[in-house]
Amino acid sequence: MNILFASSEAHPLIKTGGLADVSGSLPRAILGLHHDIRVIIPAYREILKHAQQLTLAAYLDLEGVRLPVRILSGRLPGGNVKLYLVDSPPHFDRAGKPYTTSSGSPWLDNAERFTVFCRAIHALAVNDAGLDWQPDIVHCNDWQTGLVPVMLRETSAAPASIFTIHNLAYQGLFDWKTFQSLKLPDDWWSIDALEFHDKFSFIKGGLIFADWLTTVSPTYADEICTPEFGCGLEGLLTLRKQSLTGILNGADYTVWNPGRDLHIPVQYNLRSLFHKIENKRDLQEHFALPVDNAVPLFTVISRLVEQKGIDLILEILPDLVKQNAQLVVLGSGDSQLEAALQQASARHPEHIGIHIGYDEVLAHRVEAGADIFLMPSLFEPCGLNQIYSLRYGTVPVVRRTGGLADTIVDTTPETLADKTATGFCFHQASATALWSAVERALAHYRKPDSWAQIMDTGMRQDFSWKRSAQQYVELYTRIIAQHKYGQILESNVIQ
Ligand code: ADP
Ligand code: GLC
């Protein structure tokens, strides 16, 4: 199959979160299954600065764009996946982050930027770019690619489309004036199309018009059909439930493997677990915490946003300190959450270390050095860090929601006895519930035998992409066949 994989970020070229991890590794796994998958992302300045061996593949004249848009072609680093970059300098060649300025305010022209991106994806998909290649299916990811399925629906003999929801809370909503300025067909502003509570919704393009929908864990696939998690789109998603599949994300163990990780001071694996202590010492020194192997070291690596339950962590900090535990936080995001964490660290420098910012290398050192990983998310489509933590023997404490529920097995007398326990789960989104899971974790931490068993079971878990990539391939095959069949039926009706 020929597959065009469209995403607004891909590791290691550009990353703001887990979407980049997925876009950097799933295509490689699918290429490994012998399908011609190609990734398309915007040519942000950050990428142009570092990307190597790019060639000019095409010029596109796109509606509503004054200058021609260049399609640059290269390879996604770390593998052999072919890469297309959408190079429209007025939209993507600027200092700052993919969706925001350096200080975190959304770019005012985001709607225009990602409409251009979608138009370029569409041009490649329908073979308007003059490349000697055309996909059988376009795999779109998140709202930034949401217009592609609508554009494809309006083109005859277009390839099939699949839309993956990585996070329903980000919908790409813009006002009427912005919609008008994009020069899109007027009838797209309709409740049956992309209008959503008097706003123009990019994500609805994917949710309504893609041939198939997926999301990144089976539990989240069920959750988003309920008012609690559906962000107002639960009705629409329930209608499409027959074409909605939850496929769990995989981990890239070439990047996240303590046995081979060159970012950490001392590599270790199941047989040399004693080396983890040296990584713990490195982390305690780095954050100027007392160096003591007996003290339980908790960590958080996260975007600091409401979704991640950072409030709950702030609430349990006094109790953590009372228990003489340590906490290291690596994250950035909401300025109030950043400030609250910084204040807590200033108040308890012997217990709480904080690094505000995005630091890939430090993320690896933190995974390797910590004992316990906290992820009390209010909702979590999949979550990757708890999966990485398992491999690093850093026992996760998670809220039982979305992908967290699908990846972590709570420690109970039964799961200890049958050796399936890998972490600690709690249900209620409250500090009390989080604290009782933390207390359970601390009780086991003090029993070296059961702690060693939980770490051991976690480190043996295999969340590599193999199974999920196979599931995507099976789905692509089915959707392409259905799409072609649908087109044949339609053309018969027209005749
Ligand atoms: P989300 O995509 O919602 O942010 P995920 O758990 O799926 O959550 O993915 C987060 C990814 O971003 C992980 O690879 C994690 O290591 C990384 N990450 C998050 N915050 C930071 C940070 N401050 N520094 C380095 N890496 C980070
Ligand atoms: C989103 C979700 C996260 C998921 C990631 C990759 O950012 O918040 O749970 O792991 O996408 O699919």
Side-chain angles (χ1 to χ4, degrees), residues 15-19 21 167 249 256 301-303 307-308 330-332 355 357-361 363 367 375 380-386 388:
K15 168 166 166 176
T16 72
L19 172 62
D21 291 13
N167 195 333
N249 282 336
W256 295 98
I301 303 172
S302 183
R303 291 185 293 117
Q307 172 194 344
K308 302 292 178 178
L330 166 60
S332 64
H355 180 107
Y358 183 88
D359 188 328
E360 193 93 15
V361 173
E367 282 290 6
M375 202 154 170
E380 196 59 73
C382 178
L384 293 166
N385 265 120
Q386 83 282 9
Y388 305 152

PDB file of all heavy atoms in Angstrom, residues 15-19 21 167 249 256 301-303 307-308 330-332 355 357-361 363 367 375 380-386 388, ligand 1:
ATOM      1  N   LYS A  15       9.104  18.599  18.002  1.00  0.00           N
ATOM      2  CA  LYS A  15       8.252  17.887  18.964  1.00  0.00           C
ATOM      3  C   LYS A  15       7.691  18.832  20.011  1.00  0.00           C
ATOM      4  O   LYS A  15       8.414  19.639  20.575  1.00  0.00           O
ATOM      5  CB  LYS A  15       9.094  16.800  19.647  1.00  0.00           C
ATOM      6  CG  LYS A  15       8.456  16.155  20.867  1.00  0.00           C
ATOM      7  CD  LYS A  15       9.194  14.888  21.271  1.00  0.00           C
ATOM      8  CE  LYS A  15       8.787  14.421  22.651  1.00  0.00           C
ATOM      9  NZ  LYS A  15       9.409  13.159  23.045  1.00  0.00           N
ATOM     10  N   THR A  16       6.365  18.742  20.227  1.00  0.00           N
ATOM     11  CA  THR A  16       5.801  19.425  21.399  1.00  0.00           C
ATOM     12  C   THR A  16       5.202  18.413  22.364  1.00  0.00           C
ATOM     13  O   THR A  16       4.921  18.732  23.507  1.00  0.00           O
ATOM     14  CB  THR A  16       4.701  20.441  21.018  1.00  0.00           C
ATOM     15  OG1 THR A  16       3.532  19.727  20.610  1.00  0.00           O
ATOM     16  CG2 THR A  16       5.114  21.389  19.918  1.00  0.00           C
ATOM     17  N   GLY A  17       4.977  17.184  21.904  1.00  0.00           N
ATOM     18  CA  GLY A  17       4.375  16.172  22.776  1.00  0.00           C
ATOM     19  C   GLY A  17       4.372  14.814  22.111  1.00  0.00           C
ATOM     20  O   GLY A  17       5.117  14.572  21.143  1.00  0.00           O
ATOM     21  N   GLY A  18       3.486  13.939  22.606  1.00  0.00           N
ATOM     22  CA  GLY A  18       3.478  12.551  22.172  1.00  0.00           C
ATOM     23  C   GLY A  18       3.155  12.353  20.688  1.00  0.00           C
ATOM     24  O   GLY A  18       3.575  11.362  20.094  1.00  0.00           O
ATOM     25  N   LEU A  19       2.425  13.297  20.077  1.00  0.00           N
ATOM     26  CA  LEU A  19       2.132  13.178  18.642  1.00  0.00           C
ATOM     27  C   LEU A  19       3.427  13.027  17.836  1.00  0.00           C
ATOM     28  O   LEU A  19       3.507  12.255  16.886  1.00  0.00           O
ATOM     29  CB  LEU A  19       1.335  14.412  18.171  1.00  0.00           C
ATOM     30  CG  LEU A  19       1.122  14.545  16.668  1.00  0.00           C
ATOM     31  CD1 LEU A  19       0.321  13.370  16.109  1.00  0.00           C
ATOM     32  CD2 LEU A  19       0.395  15.857  16.341  1.00  0.00           C
ATOM     33  N   ASP A  21       6.261  11.767  18.909  1.00  0.00           N
ATOM     34  CA  ASP A  21       6.823  10.424  19.135  1.00  0.00           C
ATOM     35  C   ASP A  21       6.142   9.419  18.207  1.00  0.00           C
ATOM     36  O   ASP A  21       6.798   8.588  17.578  1.00  0.00           O
ATOM     37  CB  ASP A  21       6.609   9.982  20.595  1.00  0.00           C
ATOM     38  CG  ASP A  21       7.450  10.786  21.584  1.00  0.00           C
ATOM     39  OD1 ASP A  21       7.995  11.822  21.180  1.00  0.00           O
ATOM     40  OD2 ASP A  21       7.557  10.385  22.759  1.00  0.00           O
ATOM     41  N   ASN A 167      -5.877  13.798  20.712  1.00  0.00           N
ATOM     42  CA  ASN A 167      -6.394  14.526  21.876  1.00  0.00           C
ATOM     43  C   ASN A 167      -7.607  15.340  21.441  1.00  0.00           C
ATOM     44  O   ASN A 167      -7.463  16.335  20.721  1.00  0.00           O
ATOM     45  CB  ASN A 167      -5.302  15.444  22.440  1.00  0.00           C
ATOM     46  CG  ASN A 167      -5.660  15.939  23.825  1.00  0.00           C
ATOM     47  OD1 ASN A 167      -6.842  16.040  24.160  1.00  0.00           O
ATOM     48  ND2 ASN A 167      -4.650  16.229  24.626  1.00  0.00           N
ATOM     49  N   ASN A 249      -0.996   3.236  21.298  1.00  0.00           N
ATOM     50  CA  ASN A 249       0.314   3.670  20.793  1.00  0.00           C
ATOM     51  C   ASN A 249       1.397   2.690  21.218  1.00  0.00           C
ATOM     52  O   ASN A 249       1.297   2.041  22.251  1.00  0.00           O
ATOM     53  CB  ASN A 249       0.693   5.033  21.394  1.00  0.00           C
ATOM     54  CG  ASN A 249      -0.023   6.182  20.730  1.00  0.00           C
ATOM     55  OD1 ASN A 249      -0.454   6.074  19.584  1.00  0.00           O
ATOM     56  ND2 ASN A 249      -0.156   7.288  21.441  1.00  0.00           N
ATOM     57  N   TRP A 256      13.905   4.763  23.693  1.00  0.00           N
ATOM     58  CA  TRP A 256      13.627   4.627  25.134  1.00  0.00           C
ATOM     59  C   TRP A 256      14.001   3.237  25.625  1.00  0.00           C
ATOM     60  O   TRP A 256      13.157   2.366  25.753  1.00  0.00           O
ATOM     61  CB  TRP A 256      12.153   4.942  25.408  1.00  0.00           C
ATOM     62  CG  TRP A 256      11.796   6.364  25.106  1.00  0.00           C
ATOM     63  CD1 TRP A 256      11.208   6.834  23.973  1.00  0.00           C
ATOM     64  CD2 TRP A 256      12.025   7.512  25.936  1.00  0.00           C
ATOM     65  NE1 TRP A 256      11.052   8.195  24.051  1.00  0.00           N
ATOM     66  CE2 TRP A 256      11.545   8.640  25.253  1.00  0.00           C
ATOM     67  CE3 TRP A 256      12.587   7.706  27.211  1.00  0.00           C
ATOM     68  CZ2 TRP A 256      11.604   9.934  25.765  1.00  0.00           C
ATOM     69  CZ3 TRP A 256      12.646   8.985  27.732  1.00  0.00           C
ATOM     70  CH2 TRP A 256      12.160  10.078  27.015  1.00  0.00           C
ATOM     71  N   ILE A 301       7.198  14.142  34.336  1.00  0.00           N
ATOM     72  CA  ILE A 301       7.716  14.750  33.086  1.00  0.00           C
ATOM     73  C   ILE A 301       6.475  15.039  32.268  1.00  0.00           C
ATOM     74  O   ILE A 301       5.768  14.101  31.874  1.00  0.00           O
ATOM     75  CB  ILE A 301       8.616  13.786  32.287  1.00  0.00           C
ATOM     76  CG1 ILE A 301       9.784  13.299  33.141  1.00  0.00           C
ATOM     77  CG2 ILE A 301       9.112  14.443  30.996  1.00  0.00           C
ATOM     78  CD1 ILE A 301      10.609  12.209  32.481  1.00  0.00           C
ATOM     79  N   SER A 302       6.188  16.308  32.029  1.00  0.00           N
ATOM     80  CA  SER A 302       4.872  16.566  31.447  1.00  0.00           C
ATOM     81  C   SER A 302       4.732  17.979  30.895  1.00  0.00           C
ATOM     82  O   SER A 302       5.392  18.901  31.350  1.00  0.00           O
ATOM     83  CB  SER A 302       3.837  16.385  32.566  1.00  0.00           C
ATOM     84  OG  SER A 302       2.541  16.544  32.084  1.00  0.00           O
ATOM     85  N   ARG A 303       3.815  18.104  29.954  1.00  0.00           N
ATOM     86  CA  ARG A 303       3.304  19.436  29.662  1.00  0.00           C
ATOM     87  C   ARG A 303       2.557  19.842  30.922  1.00  0.00           C
ATOM     88  O   ARG A 303       1.806  19.036  31.501  1.00  0.00           O
ATOM     89  CB  ARG A 303       2.336  19.385  28.473  1.00  0.00           C
ATOM     90  CG  ARG A 303       3.012  19.073  27.161  1.00  0.00           C
ATOM     91  CD  ARG A 303       2.049  19.154  25.980  1.00  0.00           C
ATOM     92  NE  ARG A 303       1.032  18.117  26.006  1.00  0.00           N
ATOM     93  CZ  ARG A 303      -0.269  18.322  26.119  1.00  0.00           C
ATOM     94  NH1 ARG A 303      -0.738  19.559  26.191  1.00  0.00           N
ATOM     95  NH2 ARG A 303      -1.131  17.327  26.128  1.00  0.00           N
ATOM     96  N   GLN A 307      -4.982  19.096  31.896  1.00  0.00           N
ATOM     97  CA  GLN A 307      -5.175  17.681  31.538  1.00  0.00           C
ATOM     98  C   GLN A 307      -4.358  16.732  32.410  1.00  0.00           C
ATOM     99  O   GLN A 307      -4.784  15.622  32.728  1.00  0.00           O
ATOM    100  CB  GLN A 307      -4.794  17.474  30.059  1.00  0.00           C
ATOM    101  CG  GLN A 307      -4.779  16.009  29.631  1.00  0.00           C
ATOM    102  CD  GLN A 307      -4.075  15.785  28.286  1.00  0.00           C
ATOM    103  OE1 GLN A 307      -3.843  16.727  27.527  1.00  0.00           O
ATOM    104  NE2 GLN A 307      -3.746  14.544  27.978  1.00  0.00           N
ATOM    105  N   LYS A 308      -3.158  17.159  32.754  1.00  0.00           N
ATOM    106  CA  LYS A 308      -2.197  16.229  33.370  1.00  0.00           C
ATOM    107  C   LYS A 308      -2.370  16.092  34.884  1.00  0.00           C
ATOM    108  O   LYS A 308      -1.584  15.400  35.537  1.00  0.00           O
ATOM    109  CB  LYS A 308      -0.769  16.666  33.019  1.00  0.00           C
ATOM    110  CG  LYS A 308      -0.502  16.740  31.513  1.00  0.00           C
ATOM    111  CD  LYS A 308      -0.529  15.354  30.862  1.00  0.00           C
ATOM    112  CE  LYS A 308      -0.299  15.443  29.350  1.00  0.00           C
ATOM    113  NZ  LYS A 308      -0.269  14.116  28.710  1.00  0.00           N
ATOM    114  N   LEU A 330       9.953  17.902  35.570  1.00  0.00           N
ATOM    115  CA  LEU A 330      10.458  18.478  34.325  1.00  0.00           C
ATOM    116  C   LEU A 330       9.238  18.798  33.477  1.00  0.00           C
ATOM    117  O   LEU A 330       8.483  17.895  33.102  1.00  0.00           O
ATOM    118  CB  LEU A 330      11.355  17.460  33.603  1.00  0.00           C
ATOM    119  CG  LEU A 330      11.696  17.771  32.144  1.00  0.00           C
ATOM    120  CD1 LEU A 330      12.440  19.096  31.997  1.00  0.00           C
ATOM    121  CD2 LEU A 330      12.535  16.636  31.541  1.00  0.00           C
ATOM    122  N   GLY A 331       9.039  20.080  33.202  1.00  0.00           N
ATOM    123  CA  GLY A 331       7.863  20.406  32.407  1.00  0.00           C
ATOM    124  C   GLY A 331       7.770  21.879  32.082  1.00  0.00           C
ATOM    125  O   GLY A 331       8.528  22.701  32.609  1.00  0.00           O
ATOM    126  N   SER A 332       6.820  22.188  31.206  1.00  0.00           N
ATOM    127  CA  SER A 332       6.552  23.589  30.908  1.00  0.00           C
ATOM    128  C   SER A 332       5.125  23.685  30.415  1.00  0.00           C
ATOM    129  O   SER A 332       4.534  22.683  29.996  1.00  0.00           O
ATOM    130  CB  SER A 332       7.519  24.115  29.848  1.00  0.00           C
ATOM    131  OG  SER A 332       7.301  23.429  28.648  1.00  0.00           O
ATOM    132  N   HIS A 355      12.611  21.721  36.978  1.00  0.00           N
ATOM    133  CA  HIS A 355      13.223  22.294  35.778  1.00  0.00           C
ATOM    134  C   HIS A 355      12.080  22.704  34.857  1.00  0.00           C
ATOM    135  O   HIS A 355      11.367  21.848  34.319  1.00  0.00           O
ATOM    136  CB  HIS A 355      14.124  21.263  35.094  1.00  0.00           C
ATOM    137  CG  HIS A 355      14.781  21.792  33.859  1.00  0.00           C
ATOM    138  ND1 HIS A 355      16.124  22.101  33.788  1.00  0.00           N
ATOM    139  CD2 HIS A 355      14.270  22.097  32.647  1.00  0.00           C
ATOM    140  CE1 HIS A 355      16.405  22.563  32.588  1.00  0.00           C
ATOM    141  NE2 HIS A 355      15.300  22.572  31.867  1.00  0.00           N
ATOM    142  N   GLY A 357      10.900  23.944  31.476  1.00  0.00           N
ATOM    143  CA  GLY A 357      11.439  23.995  30.124  1.00  0.00           C
ATOM    144  C   GLY A 357      11.271  22.644  29.472  1.00  0.00           C
ATOM    145  O   GLY A 357      10.738  21.706  30.079  1.00  0.00           O
ATOM    146  N   TYR A 358      11.687  22.583  28.240  1.00  0.00           N
ATOM    147  CA  TYR A 358      11.597  21.338  27.489  1.00  0.00           C
ATOM    148  C   TYR A 358      13.016  20.842  27.275  1.00  0.00           C
ATOM    149  O   TYR A 358      13.850  21.554  26.714  1.00  0.00           O
ATOM    150  CB  TYR A 358      10.892  21.593  26.143  1.00  0.00           C
ATOM    151  CG  TYR A 358      10.705  20.337  25.380  1.00  0.00           C
ATOM    152  CD1 TYR A 358       9.565  19.560  25.574  1.00  0.00           C
ATOM    153  CD2 TYR A 358      11.680  19.881  24.508  1.00  0.00           C
ATOM    154  CE1 TYR A 358       9.412  18.368  24.902  1.00  0.00           C
ATOM    155  CE2 TYR A 358      11.534  18.687  23.840  1.00  0.00           C
ATOM    156  CZ  TYR A 358      10.397  17.936  24.036  1.00  0.00           C
ATOM    157  OH  TYR A 358      10.253  16.745  23.380  1.00  0.00           O
ATOM    158  N   ASP A 359      13.345  19.669  27.774  1.00  0.00           N
ATOM    159  CA  ASP A 359      14.724  19.185  27.691  1.00  0.00           C
ATOM    160  C   ASP A 359      14.725  17.666  27.480  1.00  0.00           C
ATOM    161  O   ASP A 359      14.517  16.876  28.403  1.00  0.00           O
ATOM    162  CB  ASP A 359      15.457  19.550  28.994  1.00  0.00           C
ATOM    163  CG  ASP A 359      16.951  19.258  28.910  1.00  0.00           C
ATOM    164  OD1 ASP A 359      17.333  18.289  28.212  1.00  0.00           O
ATOM    165  OD2 ASP A 359      17.716  19.984  29.556  1.00  0.00           O
ATOM    166  N   GLU A 360      14.949  17.312  26.233  1.00  0.00           N
ATOM    167  CA  GLU A 360      14.890  15.905  25.805  1.00  0.00           C
ATOM    168  C   GLU A 360      15.883  15.026  26.586  1.00  0.00           C
ATOM    169  O   GLU A 360      15.528  13.958  27.081  1.00  0.00           O
ATOM    170  CB  GLU A 360      15.244  15.906  24.309  1.00  0.00           C
ATOM    171  CG  GLU A 360      14.971  14.651  23.584  1.00  0.00           C
ATOM    172  CD  GLU A 360      13.585  14.648  22.937  1.00  0.00           C
ATOM    173  OE1 GLU A 360      12.942  15.699  22.809  1.00  0.00           O
ATOM    174  OE2 GLU A 360      13.162  13.544  22.589  1.00  0.00           O
ATOM    175  N   VAL A 361      17.114  15.505  26.713  1.00  0.00           N
ATOM    176  CA  VAL A 361      18.149  14.700  27.364  1.00  0.00           C
ATOM    177  C   VAL A 361      17.814  14.514  28.841  1.00  0.00           C
ATOM    178  O   VAL A 361      17.895  13.406  29.394  1.00  0.00           O
ATOM    179  CB  VAL A 361      19.539  15.363  27.189  1.00  0.00           C
ATOM    180  CG1 VAL A 361      20.604  14.633  27.999  1.00  0.00           C
ATOM    181  CG2 VAL A 361      19.913  15.393  25.710  1.00  0.00           C
ATOM    182  N   ALA A 363      14.947  14.525  30.150  1.00  0.00           N
ATOM    183  CA  ALA A 363      13.810  13.601  30.274  1.00  0.00           C
ATOM    184  C   ALA A 363      14.320  12.162  30.409  1.00  0.00           C
ATOM    185  O   ALA A 363      13.812  11.374  31.210  1.00  0.00           O
ATOM    186  CB  ALA A 363      12.887  13.738  29.067  1.00  0.00           C
ATOM    187  N   GLU A 367      13.901   9.744  33.765  1.00  0.00           N
ATOM    188  CA  GLU A 367      13.312   8.396  33.693  1.00  0.00           C
ATOM    189  C   GLU A 367      14.245   7.374  34.337  1.00  0.00           C
ATOM    190  O   GLU A 367      13.803   6.465  35.039  1.00  0.00           O
ATOM    191  CB  GLU A 367      13.045   7.978  32.232  1.00  0.00           C
ATOM    192  CG  GLU A 367      11.807   8.587  31.604  1.00  0.00           C
ATOM    193  CD  GLU A 367      10.497   8.037  32.189  1.00  0.00           C
ATOM    194  OE1 GLU A 367      10.546   7.258  33.163  1.00  0.00           O
ATOM    195  OE2 GLU A 367       9.440   8.423  31.676  1.00  0.00           O
ATOM    196  N   MET A 375       1.539  10.202  37.141  1.00  0.00           N
ATOM    197  CA  MET A 375       0.764  10.660  35.980  1.00  0.00           C
ATOM    198  C   MET A 375      -0.729  10.624  36.328  1.00  0.00           C
ATOM    199  O   MET A 375      -1.469   9.736  35.884  1.00  0.00           O
ATOM    200  CB  MET A 375       1.077   9.781  34.770  1.00  0.00           C
ATOM    201  CG  MET A 375       0.781  10.437  33.440  1.00  0.00           C
ATOM    202  SD  MET A 375       1.801   9.730  32.149  1.00  0.00           S
ATOM    203  CE  MET A 375       1.049  10.443  30.694  1.00  0.00           C
ATOM    204  N   GLU A 380      -6.472  10.987  29.522  1.00  0.00           N
ATOM    205  CA  GLU A 380      -5.203  10.698  28.844  1.00  0.00           C
ATOM    206  C   GLU A 380      -5.451   9.781  27.657  1.00  0.00           C
ATOM    207  O   GLU A 380      -5.653   8.575  27.813  1.00  0.00           O
ATOM    208  CB  GLU A 380      -4.217  10.040  29.815  1.00  0.00           C
ATOM    209  CG  GLU A 380      -2.784  10.047  29.346  1.00  0.00           C
ATOM    210  CD  GLU A 380      -2.265  11.466  29.103  1.00  0.00           C
ATOM    211  OE1 GLU A 380      -2.024  12.201  30.071  1.00  0.00           O
ATOM    212  OE2 GLU A 380      -2.110  11.822  27.910  1.00  0.00           O
ATOM    213  N   PRO A 381      -5.491  10.356  26.442  1.00  0.00           N
ATOM    214  CA  PRO A 381      -5.778   9.531  25.261  1.00  0.00           C
ATOM    215  C   PRO A 381      -4.914   8.265  25.207  1.00  0.00           C
ATOM    216  O   PRO A 381      -5.421   7.172  25.020  1.00  0.00           O
ATOM    217  CB  PRO A 381      -5.476  10.487  24.106  1.00  0.00           C
ATOM    218  CG  PRO A 381      -5.783  11.851  24.697  1.00  0.00           C
ATOM    219  CD  PRO A 381      -5.354  11.772  26.130  1.00  0.00           C
ATOM    220  N   CYS A 382      -3.618   8.409  25.346  1.00  0.00           N
ATOM    221  CA  CYS A 382      -2.782   7.218  25.511  1.00  0.00           C
ATOM    222  C   CYS A 382      -1.782   7.476  26.637  1.00  0.00           C
ATOM    223  O   CYS A 382      -1.799   6.863  27.669  1.00  0.00           O
ATOM    224  CB  CYS A 382      -2.035   6.851  24.226  1.00  0.00           C
ATOM    225  SG  CYS A 382      -0.982   5.404  24.486  1.00  0.00           S
ATOM    226  N   GLY A 383      -0.899   8.471  26.415  1.00  0.00           N
ATOM    227  CA  GLY A 383       0.185   8.692  27.367  1.00  0.00           C
ATOM    228  C   GLY A 383       1.345   7.804  26.974  1.00  0.00           C
ATOM    229  O   GLY A 383       1.167   6.614  26.700  1.00  0.00           O
ATOM    230  N   LEU A 384       2.507   8.386  26.892  1.00  0.00           N
ATOM    231  CA  LEU A 384       3.683   7.592  26.515  1.00  0.00           C
ATOM    232  C   LEU A 384       4.664   7.458  27.667  1.00  0.00           C
ATOM    233  O   LEU A 384       5.343   6.453  27.812  1.00  0.00           O
ATOM    234  CB  LEU A 384       4.363   8.243  25.300  1.00  0.00           C
ATOM    235  CG  LEU A 384       3.506   8.165  24.033  1.00  0.00           C
ATOM    236  CD1 LEU A 384       4.030   9.092  22.957  1.00  0.00           C
ATOM    237  CD2 LEU A 384       3.451   6.729  23.527  1.00  0.00           C
ATOM    238  N   ASN A 385       4.725   8.501  28.500  1.00  0.00           N
ATOM    239  CA  ASN A 385       5.749   8.464  29.533  1.00  0.00           C
ATOM    240  C   ASN A 385       5.580   7.320  30.533  1.00  0.00           C
ATOM    241  O   ASN A 385       6.564   6.795  31.044  1.00  0.00           O
ATOM    242  CB  ASN A 385       5.830   9.795  30.275  1.00  0.00           C
ATOM    243  CG  ASN A 385       6.908  10.658  29.676  1.00  0.00           C
ATOM    244  OD1 ASN A 385       6.661  11.742  29.196  1.00  0.00           O
ATOM    245  ND2 ASN A 385       8.135  10.136  29.673  1.00  0.00           N
ATOM    246  N   GLN A 386       4.323   6.927  30.802  1.00  0.00           N
ATOM    247  CA  GLN A 386       4.150   5.792  31.733  1.00  0.00           C
ATOM    248  C   GLN A 386       4.687   4.519  31.089  1.00  0.00           C
ATOM    249  O   GLN A 386       5.201   3.638  31.782  1.00  0.00           O
ATOM    250  CB  GLN A 386       2.680   5.659  32.156  1.00  0.00           C
ATOM    251  CG  GLN A 386       1.757   4.910  31.206  1.00  0.00           C
ATOM    252  CD  GLN A 386       1.327   5.760  30.004  1.00  0.00           C
ATOM    253  OE1 GLN A 386       1.835   6.848  29.770  1.00  0.00           O
ATOM    254  NE2 GLN A 386       0.384   5.259  29.229  1.00  0.00           N
ATOM    255  N   TYR A 388       7.236   4.463  28.844  1.00  0.00           N
ATOM    256  CA  TYR A 388       8.707   4.561  28.927  1.00  0.00           C
ATOM    257  C   TYR A 388       9.156   4.226  30.350  1.00  0.00           C
ATOM    258  O   TYR A 388      10.156   3.533  30.554  1.00  0.00           O
ATOM    259  CB  TYR A 388       9.195   5.974  28.568  1.00  0.00           C
ATOM    260  CG  TYR A 388       8.734   6.486  27.206  1.00  0.00           C
ATOM    261  CD1 TYR A 388       8.581   7.857  26.962  1.00  0.00           C
ATOM    262  CD2 TYR A 388       8.462   5.616  26.162  1.00  0.00           C
ATOM    263  CE1 TYR A 388       8.164   8.340  25.732  1.00  0.00           C
ATOM    264  CE2 TYR A 388       8.038   6.086  24.928  1.00  0.00           C
ATOM    265  CZ  TYR A 388       7.883   7.443  24.719  1.00  0.00           C
ATOM    266  OH  TYR A 388       7.472   7.914  23.507  1.00  0.00           O
TER     267      TYR A 388
HETATM  268  P1  ADP B   1       1.234  14.524  25.585  1.00  0.00           P
HETATM  269  O1  ADP B   1       1.399  14.214  24.161  1.00  0.00           O
HETATM  270  O2  ADP B   1      -0.183  14.719  26.015  1.00  0.00           O
HETATM  271  O3  ADP B   1       2.103  15.650  26.041  1.00  0.00           O
HETATM  272  P2  ADP B   1       2.508  11.916  26.059  1.00  0.00           P
HETATM  273  O4  ADP B   1       2.768  11.185  27.333  1.00  0.00           O
HETATM  274  O5  ADP B   1       1.860  11.157  24.983  1.00  0.00           O
HETATM  275  O6  ADP B   1       1.695  13.231  26.443  1.00  0.00           O
HETATM  276  O7  ADP B   1       3.869  12.416  25.436  1.00  0.00           O
HETATM  277  C1  ADP B   1       4.689  13.369  26.010  1.00  0.00           C
HETATM  278  C2  ADP B   1       6.047  13.325  25.349  1.00  0.00           C
HETATM  279  O8  ADP B   1       6.669  14.593  25.531  1.00  0.00           O
HETATM  280  C3  ADP B   1       6.974  12.303  25.961  1.00  0.00           C
HETATM  281  O9  ADP B   1       7.893  11.850  24.996  1.00  0.00           O
HETATM  282  C4  ADP B   1       7.691  13.131  27.036  1.00  0.00           C
HETATM  283  O10 ADP B   1       8.933  12.590  27.373  1.00  0.00           O
HETATM  284  C5  ADP B   1       7.826  14.456  26.349  1.00  0.00           C
HETATM  285  N1  ADP B   1       7.898  15.613  27.245  1.00  0.00           N
HETATM  286  C6  ADP B   1       6.874  16.245  27.868  1.00  0.00           C
HETATM  287  N2  ADP B   1       7.322  17.319  28.559  1.00  0.00           N
HETATM  288  C7  ADP B   1       8.667  17.348  28.376  1.00  0.00           C
HETATM  289  C8  ADP B   1       9.713  18.224  28.819  1.00  0.00           C
HETATM  290  N3  ADP B   1       9.456  19.264  29.590  1.00  0.00           N
HETATM  291  N4  ADP B   1      10.962  17.957  28.413  1.00  0.00           N
HETATM  292  C9  ADP B   1      11.235  16.899  27.627  1.00  0.00           C
HETATM  293  N5  ADP B   1      10.298  16.049  27.177  1.00  0.00           N
HETATM  294  C10 ADP B   1       9.029  16.262  27.538  1.00  0.00           C
END
